[in-house]
Amino acid sequence: MSLAFSLEDYLQERREGVERALERAVAELESRVPEPVLVAVRHGVLSGGKRLRPIFCVAAYEACGGTLSRSLFDLAASLELIHAYSLMHDDLPCMDDADLRRGRPSTHAAMGEDVTMVAGALLIPAAARRAREAGLELELTGAEASEVAGVLMRAAGAGGMVGGQWLDLEGEGRLLTEIELDELHRHKTGALLVASLQMGALAAGADAMAFESLTRYGSAVGLAFQVADDILDATSDAETLGKEPSDAVLDKSTYVTLHGLEEARVRARALVDDAKQALEEGGTYAPALQALADFVVGRER
Ligand code: GRG
């Protein structure tokens, strides 16, 4: 019998837990949300995707000694509610104007803009509530559970994802420097990835050293994720990606436009090495996180 770690099996098992938690999160909204909005919520949330943010949260929790439970997956799914809202709003005509997402019509293309705005917006407080409640179920104190939800909300807000979205819109049609590009993506994509690791660590009661090493890992992997995203946008196609490559159309600066394809690949690998080093220096034994760092830059979509 081989004891080798299989990322494929790991991803499949964790994804199943995440899907069930997302179904519970949507079911919980059923009594309070009008049917047309609920249909849009289902479309945006229960529509596939890699589910990487919740999986990072679960992997961080496991790396800190925690064991799998339904409440852990509820906590992890709160990250995906925020991610789902961000994609629904990001695809709107006033943002990136994208009609294809995850290989099918984006939510506004299928359901309309007004209902997509409302469905996306209601996911933000739903995610905050879900994160806090799951924290309490994991036997965190009230203050600890609030802090876990606070980490999620800060990462989603002006100092994180929404702030990064503004930098992104402001940067269209302009050649950004590498410092500006890093700043944009540390906010827009990186903040939620860092929060994924931090929420898992906090929920598991990690000590300061483990928390710090997982934060450093998340920061490096978050940027590596975006460099890989830019490479895929420049080299792949809509059928493989499940969305239209759009950076050139929207005249966005990317790691590929800045440095060329080869140098972007070198940067992505260097960031993966930084991420693994952060784990080693923190004494965090986590084969899943090691393998996930490679996956982030090796993926095809
Ligand atoms: C405030 C109106 C308003 C809009 C803001 C918050 C927001 C909209 C946009 C955030 C920007 C954003 C969508 C960031 C994520 C970028 C990204 C790399 C998405 C793809 O993530 P994957 O590859 O996707 O994990 P899957 O489909 O696998 O979940």
Side-chain angles (χ1 to χ4, degrees):
M1 188 180 80
S2 165
L3 291 175
F5 176 79
S6 161
L7 183 65
E8 202 179 320
D9 292 349
Y10 183 87
L11 288 175
Q12 193 187 328
E13 285 165 22
R14 301 305 176 272
R15 266 187 204 131
E16 280 168 16
V18 171
E19 294 303 329
R20 284 196 293 271
L22 288 170
E23 275 157 23
R24 288 195 289 279
V26 172
E28 208 254 333
L29 292 168
E30 270 164 15
S31 61
R32 277 170 288 127
V33 176
E35 187 58 23
V37 178
L38 197 62
V39 173
V41 166
R42 282 203 196 96
H43 186 279
V45 174
L46 304 175
S47 55
K50 296 181 287 297
R51 310 310 198 191
L52 280 179
R53 293 148 191 85
I55 290 172
F56 275 120
C57 177
V58 169
Y61 186 84
E62 292 177 283
C64 295
T67 51
L68 300 183
S69 66
R70 180 183 159 118
S71 304
L72 172 65
F73 281 104
D74 286 336
L75 176 71
S78 68
L79 283 147
E80 191 70 17
L81 297 181
I82 292 293
H83 176 58
Y85 123 75
S86 81
L87 299 182
M88 290 157 80
H89 281 192
D90 194 42
D91 287 340
L92 285 167
C94 64
M95 296 277 147
D96 279 2
D97 193 12
D99 283 349
L100 187 69
R101 169 71 64 184
R102 295 172 172 167
R104 61 181 200 158
S106 52
T107 308
H108 75 271
M111 311 281 160
E113 286 177 45
D114 48 2
V115 85
T116 300
M117 281 294 301
V118 174
L122 73 78
L123 289 174
I124 307 168
R129 201 184 56 243
R130 206 89 192 139
R132 188 170 188 283
E133 281 169 7
L136 292 173
E137 284 164 15
L138 287 166
E139 299 189 353
L140 300 183
T141 64
E144 288 165 345
S146 295
E147 175 54 16
V148 169
V151 166
L152 178 60
M153 289 299 103
R154 285 194 292 278
M161 191 175 70
V162 169
Q165 178 75 353
W166 178 248
L167 294 176
D168 194 21
L169 292 169
E170 231 192 354
E172 282 178 12
R174 205 156 65 75
L175 190 63
L176 302 183
T177 65
E178 176 146 26
I179 291 173
E180 287 176 312
L181 202 55
D182 281 1
E183 176 77 354
L184 188 170
H185 291 304
R186 284 195 191 284
H187 284 79
K188 186 179 137 178
T189 317
L192 200 58
L193 273 160
V194 170
S196 309
L197 278 299
Q198 291 180 331
M199 288 168 69
L202 288 173
D207 61 24
M209 191 168 156
F211 183 82
E212 179 57 31
S213 94
L214 288 167
T215 301
R216 276 181 55 206
Y217 168 91
S219 177
V221 161
L223 215 47
F225 179 92
Q226 188 59 51
V227 179
D229 220 63
D230 287 358
I231 294 170
L232 288 173
D233 195 276
T235 58
S236 192
D237 52 55
E239 198 182 328
T240 313
L241 294 175
K243 61 183 179 184
E244 292 288 348
S246 62
D247 290 337
V249 179
L250 296 168
D251 201 7
K252 291 194 187 201
S253 296
T254 73
Y255 291 100
V256 176
T257 58
L258 205 59
H259 294 308
L261 210 45
E262 271 325 299
E263 215 176 300
R265 288 194 174 115
V266 170
R267 176 107 203 264
R269 288 302 328 162
L271 286 161
V272 167
D273 291 344
D274 289 350
K276 291 180 178 178
Q277 197 180 340
L279 294 179
E280 275 161 30
E281 286 175 7
T284 310
Y285 175 71
L289 291 174
Q290 300 271 357
L292 278 164
D294 289 322
F295 174 80
V296 155
V297 299
R299 66 200 163 97
E300 285 180 359
R301 62 187 308 165

